């Protein structure tokens, strides 16, 4: 369960405690009108209540009741949590927690390069001291992991990137298109990451769609510089 759920549950408990304290007083009185162990009345001396009730702040409450008990607050939080849905990320291993799985890196031009994906990001290094490096970081390597883009539907593409530079800023062209030849393009844009990790977000709509699409980051790095990618997400709006 999420942190927000537990915060909402705890908040419901606090409000219920305040409501009960106001109704029964700061120290509920034992008597014929409010016998111990019954709902909204003092707990027994061993902090228990009659069957179906729970002892909270020395007051017996019904955890299943929606009438101000702390169970009511919890039920409301559960209902809110249950009604919300998380969009499905069409990109597998977009946070690179599985290393390079589902991704493929190729170098297009350059002298000497390296990469690292052990720290939860995919980083590409230009180790040359004089030449630029061009690379393609693509998803997926195999067509069976391709994703579908529905015609006229809108999608949100989001990813984080950073790039260092000596003389020329890093550039990243993001493309979405058919995963196999002729690689028909559905969308393309160019971003310019800087030395601080930042989030790039784009809205994507295709009139034709594609039943087997992929994504690629085509990047260019200055000499002796590097770029890193993380949290790649593509979801249908």
């Amino acid at each position: 369960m999420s942190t927000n759920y537990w915060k909402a549950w705890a908040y419901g408990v606090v409000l219920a405690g305040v409501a009960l304290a106001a109704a029964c007083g700061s120290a509920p009185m034992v008597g014929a009108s409010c016998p111990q162990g019954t709902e909204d009345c003092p707990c027994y001396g061993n902090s228990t209540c009659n069957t179906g009730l729970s002892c909270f702040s020395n007051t017996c409450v019904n955890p299943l009741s929606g009438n101000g008990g702390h169970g009511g607050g919890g039920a409301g939080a559960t209902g809110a949590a249950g009604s919300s849905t998380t969009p499905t990320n069409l990109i597998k291993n977009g946070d690179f927690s599985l290393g390079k799985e589902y991704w493929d890196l190729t170098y297009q031009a350059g002298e000497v390069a390296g990469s690292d994906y052990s720290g939860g990001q995919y980083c590409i290094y230009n180790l040359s001291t004089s030449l630029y490096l061009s690379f393609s970081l693509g998803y997926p390597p195999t067509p069976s992991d391709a994703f579908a883009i529905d015609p006229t539907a809108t999608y949100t593409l989001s990813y984080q990137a950073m790039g260092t530079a000596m003389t020329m800023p890093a550039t990243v062209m993001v493309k979405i298109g058919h995963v196999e030849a002729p690689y028909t393009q559905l969308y393309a844009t160019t971003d310019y990451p800087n030395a601080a990790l930042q989030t790039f977000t784009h809205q994507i709509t295709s009139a034709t769609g594609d039943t087997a699409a992929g994504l690629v980051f085509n990047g260019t790095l200055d000499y002796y510089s590097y770029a890193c990618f993380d949290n790649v997400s593509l979801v249908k709006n």
Side-chain angles (χ1 to χ4, degrees):
M1 295 182 183
S2 67
T3 301
N4 288 336
Y5 171 85
W6 288 111
K7 286 182 178 179
W9 186 89
Y11 184 62
V13 169
V14 172
L15 290 180
V18 172
L20 288 171
C24 298
S26 59
M29 298 180 61
V30 179
S33 62
C34 201
Q36 283 182 295
T38 60
E39 187 172 0
D40 292 343
C41 292
C43 306
Y44 291 117
N46 60 354
S47 298
T48 61
C49 301
N50 293 342
T51 302
L53 302 178
S54 300
C55 184
F56 179 77
S57 297
N58 197 35
T59 301
C60 292
V61 296
N62 186 348
L64 300 180
S65 171
N67 299 323
H70 72 280
T78 304
S83 63
S84 63
T85 57
T86 301
T88 301
N89 186 3
L90 301 179
I91 307 297
K92 299 177 182 178
N93 192 32
D95 61 358
F96 302 106
S97 59
L98 300 177
K100 67 175 183 177
E101 188 170 356
Y102 301 110
W103 293 87
D104 184 50
L105 175 66
T106 57
Y107 300 114
Q108 310 299 339
E111 181 182 36
V112 56
S115 64
D116 178 66
Y117 36 79
S118 60
Q121 298 179 348
Y122 204 126
C123 298
I124 301 96
Y125 301 88
N126 183 4
L127 303 178
S128 173
T129 58
S130 59
L131 299 179
Y132 297 143
L133 172 71
S134 296
F135 66 88
S136 294
L137 179 61
Y139 172 94
T142 56
S144 60
D145 292 313
F147 51 85
I149 296 293
D150 295 334
T152 71
T154 303
Y155 295 78
T156 298
L157 170 65
S158 176
Y159 71 96
Q160 291 182 303
M162 59 85 63
T164 62
M166 296 295 289
T167 60
M168 180 187 73
T171 60
V172 174
M173 176 176 284
V174 189
K175 289 186 177 182
I176 292 178
H178 195 67
V179 75
E180 295 181 294
Y183 308 107
T184 305
Q185 180 177 297
L186 300 179
Y187 175 83
T189 189
T190 301
D191 294 320
Y192 301 90
N194 55 37
L197 191 68
Q198 57 193 124
T199 300
F200 297 93
T201 302
H202 304 285
Q203 299 298 309
I204 299 170
T205 303
S206 170
T208 59
D210 196 320
T211 58
L215 175 148
V216 64
F217 296 107
N218 292 325
T220 302
L221 291 175
D222 199 359
Y223 63 89
Y224 211 64
S225 60
Y226 67 95
C228 293
F229 298 87
D230 199 2
N231 296 321
V232 185
S233 173
L234 179 65
V235 298
K236 187 176 182 180
N237 296 347

